[in-house]
Amino acid sequence: MTKEEEGKEEQEQVVTPWDVSGGADGKIDYQKLVKEFGCSEISEELISRIERCTKTKAHPFLRRGLFFAHRELDEIVTAYEKGEKFYLYTGRGPSSESLHLGHLVPFQFTKWLQDAFKVPLVIQLTDDEKFLWKDLQLEDCRRLARENAKDIVACGFNPETTFIFADASYMCPSFYVNMVKIAKCVTFNQAKGIFGFTGDSNIGQIGFPPVQAAPSFPDCFPHMFGMNKKSLKCLIPCAIDQDPYFRMTRDVSHRIGGYKPALVESRFFPALKGESGKMSASDPTSAIYVTDTAKEIKNKINKHAFSGGGATIEEQREHGANLDVDVPWKWLNFFLEDDEKLKEIGEKYGSGEMLTGEIKQILVDVLTPMVEEHQKRRALVTDEVLDLYFNPKKTPKVFLDLFREYEEKEFGKWEKKVAGDSGDDDDLCKALEEKMKLEGATENEEGCAIGAPKSEDWLRIRKERMQQDAPTEGSKSALKKAAKIKAAAEKKAAEKAAKAAARAAKEAAAA
Ligand code: TYM
């Protein structure tokens, strides 16, 4: 092969957030991607550590190397082992009425992460991104965002710990502040290098990456995580196509005063017609959608699933199937949970003992109940249920508890400083207000998400909590302080009552 031909072959693999196509053989070379992008492969040892610290068996996607790459996932795990929490951030660009099975992959995995680590989750719906890239009206994208959110909720996320937002509706001052700060750190030349923008890209597209980068910082969600950019670390589950956004984010994180987000990245769930094909809404036979009926699933698999099996029964019996290209086999690797059964199918089908029709039938039997279950759960997601996830007014207890861990640590520090400065410790909230001022947060910023609790609400919630909650290590000093205030108030009231009684006795004696 000439140097020129080699170069051409090198160029053929394209993986960006908007385009994914394989190399000369149509396949994605994941090893090459890891090298090119500069991420790391997930080791067996890291998986064992995750199992140990969560006391949960690894999800099949992790055990089977389908989530295969990461950036600083090991650091998130190390911090977690020491008792530090983090939050999860993932998303969807709403460009079609429903999700295909590939889209379920990151959401099912995120649900597992949320349950295993017991951490909060934010989900971004980039209605603005799809408006800028697709031939769609913004109003359509906003509607699709809510439709897609129903499918996301149907994956089983806990409303107490999950916040879903669509960009065109949620954008709030602290989100915008993060975006502007990120945008200033990236030159147009760098953006061209990372995302491949050209002179024909509209300027909305060029300006978009900070929108997807910003939720990597917890202060985009002041109603959940408070105003400090370093209150929590962030872990992002996604397929590897989203890596460019977060490569850029990680490069600028320290310059805007935040932690680098960590990532856990998956391979692509292949298209029905073969790995080199594309799952596309314009070709319904290229994918299975979560809205498909049992009949459609069966027809699509039988007619369109690319087979690595022999062309005839005899050939299959003699040579067995090529599992490297066989779509039913690849799909079973994603969605058949039973490891033993999967192994047995691989052996029998690979050796020719099992025929193509049989493995296709097994796939139909796995996917049909999975999709039907999904549809049943989705039917339960009414507008009211959806509003629970989209509501930035709620400050679910879990967020308060989470934020408290950080706040108590910090609060103690400032509490001392304020008490030392003024000698006046009459008001529990004063130290916190002072702390916020010292951190440069204005009152407006503190309650900046649309409908987020205003300062005074938040301080009241905090005060009540301090008085009601059982003492934890961190809250002891605050509780002591509350008890001191209460005792002082009781003493004052007793003195007042004694004075009033003495006055009454004096008046009675005089009369
Ligand atoms: P979108 O809507 O293209 O895809 C949503 C999520 O699904 C993943 N994905 C796949 N995973 C496995 N196999 C496939 N064939 C497949 N196709 C898509 C994507 O990697 C993504 O995780 N810009 C984003 C939305 C977004 C986002 C985020 C995604 C906003 N913030 C944070 C991940 C993390 C998009 O258009 O995704």
Side-chain angles (χ1 to χ4, degrees), residues 89-93 100 102-103 105-107 124 126 129-130 212 236-239 241-242 245-246 266-269 279:
Y89 158 44
T90 192
R92 154 82 181 143
H100 57 55
H103 293 133
V105 170
F107 289 108
Q124 178 181 44
T126 49
E129 179 190 20
K130 292 300 147 178
Q212 185 155 330
I236 305 170
C238 57
D241 61 330
Q242 302 296 312
Y245 280 120
F246 302 115
S266 77
R267 293 165 188 270
F268 300 109
F269 181 78
M279 285 191 274

Side-chain angles (χ1 to χ4, degrees), residues 261-322:
L263 282 126
V264 53
E265 300 178 318
S266 77
R267 293 165 188 270
F268 300 109
F269 181 78
L272 191 58
K273 293 177 180 171
E275 201 170 358
S276 54
K278 199 170 155 23
M279 285 191 274
S280 145
S282 55
D283 175 8
T285 60
S286 63
I288 287 181
Y289 288 84
V290 293
T291 42
D292 284 351
T293 61
K295 199 169 158 201
E296 282 167 331
I297 295 173
K298 194 176 165 107
N299 278 343
K300 282 186 183 182
I301 291 173
N302 284 338
K303 286 196 189 140
H304 303 288
F306 186 83
S307 174
T312 60
I313 292 179
E314 293 68 39
E315 269 182 46
Q316 169 64 7
R317 291 271 183 240
E318 197 179 331
H319 304 294
N322 178 357

